């Protein structure tokens, strides 16, 4: 394929990437929320969008099945960004990676006492590194979603999860007690594609960079 393939996940990343693509003159012809198509044509014959799971975007770009992609820094931190060129912080889909506990749980005290904490999370590597750096002993429990349920159901003492508005924590009687890292989405580029498709890719990357800075 001589054209450009862009890997996007549907939901907030797709929505928030649209204005950036528009600035580069790229408009997807369908919305993945309503269309069931996984390959979406754009107004440009040489550019298409593939709809992937958020955590799969780096894989598509790594193997060159997509030339560029948009992915949360959480995913890059958790899965690694080996072989990916990351030229741009797109400053979209912003949130924070936090430790949260049930309201009333004295986290500071538990840490001070050297308690062994059960932590439920989708982000095992990020959590392991965070607690190791603090010298806190933890048992990590891998979940694939709805982390907020774990402390309520008695599965864990605390969770490591993304927080944006904070309303999910609040609705479940949880409170954030520690900030791990700020998250936003990154543009990732396949290194070989950057060389071989330079003439098409660079103007797209430049247009996106200009609108991000504006
Ligand atoms: O949802 P699905 O299981 O299909 O996949 P996903 O969760 O991996 O993808 P998606 O589309 O939900 O998220 C894609 C990216 O958006 C993530 O990788 C993050 O980089 C970024 N992002 C930004 C977020 C949030 N904000 C966010 N708030 N991802 C998830 N959330 C969740 C959070 O996990 C929690 O359950 O929203 C809930 C909290 O939101 P508030 O607003 O109530 O605080
Ligand atoms: Mg989600």
């Amino acid at each position: 394929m001589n054209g450009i393939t862009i890997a996007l996940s549907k939901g907030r990343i797709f929505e928030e990437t649209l204005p950036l693509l528009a600035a580069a003159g790229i408009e997807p012809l369908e919305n993945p929320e309503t269309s069931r198509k996984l390959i979406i044509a754009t107004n440009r014959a040489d550019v298409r969008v593939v709809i992937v799971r958020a955590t799969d975007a780096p894989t598509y770009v790594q193997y060159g099945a997509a030339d560029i992609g948009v992915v949360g820094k959480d995913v890059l931190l958790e899965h690694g960004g080996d072989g990916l060129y990351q030229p741009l912080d797109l400053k979209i889909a912003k949130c924070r990676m936090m430790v949260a506990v049930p309201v009333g749980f004295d986290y500071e005290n538990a840490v001070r006492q050297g308690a062994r904490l059960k932590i439920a999370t989708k982000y095992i590597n990020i959590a392991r590194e965070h607690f190791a750096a603090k010298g806190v002993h933890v048992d990590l429990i891998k979940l694939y979603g709805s982390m907020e349920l774990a402390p309520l159901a008695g599965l864990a003492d605390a969770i490591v999860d993304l927080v944006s508005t904070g309303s999910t924590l609040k609705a479940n009687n949880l409170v954030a007690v520690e900030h791990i890292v700020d998250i936003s989405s990154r543009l990732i580029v396949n290194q070989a594609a950057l060389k071989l498709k330079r003439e098409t890719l660079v103007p797209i990357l430049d247009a996106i960079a200009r609108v991000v800075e504006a």
Side-chain angles (χ1 to χ4, degrees):
M1 164 109 183
N2 256 332
I4 299 295
T5 299
I6 304 173
L8 296 177
S9 52
K10 61 183 185 180
R12 70 191 103 215
I13 285 185
F14 184 86
E15 296 300 329
E16 297 187 35
T17 301
L18 278 182
L20 304 180
L21 291 180
I26 299 167
E27 289 166 30
L29 298 181
E30 279 179 283
N31 181 341
E33 299 299 340
T34 50
S35 150
R36 291 187 175 266
K37 285 188 187 162
L38 296 175
I39 298 181
I40 295 182
T42 73
N43 61 320
R44 277 177 56 170
D46 62 340
V47 180
R48 65 179 188 170
V49 172
V50 293
I51 302 300
V52 301
R53 222 24 222 276
T55 43
D56 291 333
T59 307
Y60 276 82
V61 176
Q62 243 152 19
Y63 286 91
D67 301 296
I68 64 181
V70 176
V71 62
K73 187 180 168 188
D74 49 313
V75 173
L76 290 173
L77 288 174
E78 188 62 22
H79 301 275
D82 290 358
L84 293 171
Y85 177 53
Q86 293 174 48
L88 276 183
D89 178 354
L90 299 177
K91 300 178 185 168
I92 60 166
K94 285 189 190 172
C95 55
R96 302 170 306 284
M97 186 73 71
M98 308 283 287
V99 180
V101 299
V103 171
F105 179 84
D106 193 344
Y107 174 75
E108 286 304 326
N109 191 51
V111 166
R112 222 177 303 120
Q113 308 249 306
R116 194 173 182 96
L117 296 174
K118 275 190 282 177
I119 310 287
T121 187
K122 185 158 121 177
Y123 304 99
I124 293 285
N125 294 325
I126 293 171
R128 184 187 296 113
E129 213 174 290
H130 172 72
F131 291 108
K134 277 179 60 92
V136 175
H137 295 287
V138 292
D139 292 317
L140 297 170
I141 302 172
K142 169 79 182 181
L143 290 179
Y144 293 87
S146 300
M147 268 78 83
E148 295 86 357
L149 175 63
L152 310 178
L155 179 66
D157 303 305
I159 61 172
V160 166
D161 195 9
L162 299 173
V163 179
S164 52
T165 62
S167 56
T168 307
L169 290 183
K170 205 166 175 201
N172 291 292
N173 213 26
L174 300 170
V175 60
V177 289
E178 211 158 60
H179 174 272
I180 300 178
V181 62
D182 284 326
I183 300 292
S184 58
S185 291
R186 308 301 156 119
L187 189 78
I188 53 177
V189 182
N190 177 276
Q191 285 172 342
L194 190 57
K195 294 195 189 98
L196 298 170
K197 302 182 182 178
R198 200 169 181 88
E199 273 174 42
T200 320
L201 270 179
V202 168
I204 295 174
L205 302 182
D206 285 349
I208 293 175
R210 274 196 303 275
V211 58
V212 169
E213 283 317 313

